[in-house]
Amino acid sequence: FDNNNVGMHLVAAYLNLQAKYIDFIELTDLQTMWSELQTTGRYSPTAGVYWDNAQVANYLSSIHD
């Protein structure tokens, strides 16, 4: 399921959020990403837009580098 290491990127984003290194994403956003990926295989950041595992991993890696 997690062949793009989304879980690793989610944890890194979570830790950065907790350390207040980032403030433009909420914990609930991270939880929703993981939940939607697990249940549907994609995440919808906005209506009509869908990201697969690779796109979510790419986004998350860009916010915690």
Side-chain angles (χ1 to χ4, degrees):
F1 160 73
D2 191 18
N3 55 349
N4 295 101
N5 297 316
V6 174
M8 176 191 72
H9 293 295
L10 282 166
V11 169
Y14 169 77
L15 292 173
N16 284 332
L17 183 63
Q18 294 302 308
K20 301 194 185 319
Y21 294 144
I22 58 175
D23 63 0
F24 53 87
I25 195 166
E26 300 287 331
L27 176 59
T28 55
D29 297 324
L30 299 177
Q31 292 168 329
T32 300
M33 283 180 190
W34 184 250
S35 177
E36 286 185 19
L37 284 171
Q38 281 186 308
T39 58
T40 67
R42 62 187 188 175
Y43 166 67
S44 180
T46 190
V49 176
Y50 300 98
W51 293 351
D52 62 15
N53 278 2
Q55 290 167 305
V56 171
N58 186 48
Y59 170 72
L60 290 171
S61 70
S62 74
I63 69 168
H64 72 74
D65 286 342

